[in-house]
Amino acid sequence: MGSQHILINGAGPAGLSLAIALAKRNIRSTLFEIRLEPTTMGGAIALAPNALRVLDQTIGIYDQIRHLGFEYEYIELYSEDGWRLGGLVNGDRQAYGYPALRIYRSTIMEALLKCVNDYSTLIIIHWNSSINKIAESDTGVEVTLLDGSTVNGDILVGADGIHSKIREYVLRDRAPTPIYGGRYGIGGHVDRDEIDWKHFTLPAILFSHRGAVLLFPITPDGNKIAWAIQITVPEKTREGWLEYLNSGAALEDIRNQFADAGQVSLLTLDYFH
Ligand SMILES: Cc1cc2nc3c(=O)[nH]c(=O)nc-3n(C[C@H](O)[C@H](O)[C@H](O)COP(=O)(O)OP(=O)(O)OC[C@H]3O[C@@H](n4cnc5c(N)ncnc54)[C@H](O)[C@@H]3O)c2cc1C
């Protein structure tokens, strides 16, 4: 077992990936994750070749996940009236070595967590845990956790996301405070045969004067389409956001805000459930 020991705050995709990459080089790591238990929540995401190269060549889970999502190279761009505006390259086997992959974030997290289990002698994860105090010395770093216990390591890595405590520690009063940008994202699914796609080639982004709609197949056969859309909504509390989604108010707002947006309004009215 390696003598180096890396401390990582946060067991999201970045923290887990780093721990696996270190383990492959026989370096130990200990992760502190504020959530009570492993969580595989999250919607559909698109992975470009830069991320896939890491998952393939550094982490080694690409072959497990690539057939669980939808592979594609181009995204077609349309106006709200259905005019094709152009296309953009999201992945390219020849130029970048990989097509893009639309896949559930939960599928990636499951594969990473399984891989972490394979390195149980090198990777330890403390769930329901977070760093309260950091003390640096010439030889390493000692962290005090919220329960008062201490752990020593050679270096400490912040992989604790947008509200990172480690970033606050490093940057002090220069640390940026994340603010809500005013746009709320929501997504869902439709079956391919629910919609007459004759005007569109998928994956597609439809631009309207109210905002863009993403329409990306998510299953390997392309028969399930994941849609995603953003609307302008005033900030809410965590409970307020859940109520907004679960009461159906979010979908209602989408339909109202996109009511005059051509093809997009037809999609939001008839197919976005
Ligand atoms: C709506 C949306 C769509 C997106 N779509 C895409 C996409 O299509 N393609 C793409 O590549 N990326 C996409 N992203 C970005 C992607 O989700 C992030 O880049 C990615 O999640 C970052 O991973 P991370 O591990 O750095 O941080 P996170 O996923 O935020 O994980 C941080 C972890 O740290 C934990 N944590 C937080 N605070 C503490 C603390 N104080 N102590 C201990 N643990 C803590 C959290 O619980 C979490 O587990 C999208 C993001 C959003 C919001």
Side-chain angles (χ1 to χ4, degrees), residues 9-10 12-14 32-35 45-46 105 129-130 159-161 165:
N9 207 37
F32 310 101
E33 168 55 51
I34 204 164
R35 292 186 191 277
I45 61 170
R105 187 181 187 275
S129 168
S130 187
D160 44 355
K165 291 289 171 214

Side-chain angles (χ1 to χ4, degrees), residues 80 183 206-213 229-230 258 264:
E80 65 184 41
R183 300 281 283 169
L206 275 57
F207 291 96
S208 80
H209 68 293
R210 298 293 181 188
V213 181
I229 195 166
Q230 292 188 347
F258 283 83
V264 179

Side-chain angles (χ1 to χ4, degrees), residues 171-205:
L171 295 176
R172 316 260 167 179
D173 55 357
R174 288 183 294 117
T177 306
I179 53 163
Y180 173 58
R183 300 281 283 169
Y184 171 87
I186 184 171
H189 301 110
V190 287
D191 290 335
R192 188 182 272 269
D193 58 14
E194 272 187 81
I195 298 181
D196 179 359
W197 296 103
K198 69 172 179 285
H199 297 301
F200 306 111
T201 301
L202 299 180
I205 301 178

Side-chain angles (χ1 to χ4, degrees), residues 95-164:
Y96 307 122
Y98 302 90
L101 180 67
R102 186 77 170 161
I103 190 167
Y104 290 110
R105 187 181 187 275
S106 55
T107 307
I108 300 163
M109 287 297 286
E110 276 167 17
L112 289 172
L113 286 163
K114 183 171 172 293
C115 194
V116 162
N117 282 337
D118 295 340
Y119 290 102
S120 56
T121 55
L122 287 166
I123 303 173
I124 294 172
I125 305 183
H126 293 279
W127 301 100
N128 190 18
S129 168
S130 187
I131 294 172
N132 190 32
K133 213 170 111 202
I134 300 167
E136 292 181 83
S137 70
D138 291 343
T139 53
V141 58
E142 180 179 89
V143 297
T144 307
L145 305 180
L146 285 177
D147 65 5
S149 60
T150 57
V151 184
N152 288 282
D154 292 290
I155 59 171
L156 168 64
V157 177
D160 44 355
I162 192 169
H163 300 287
S164 173

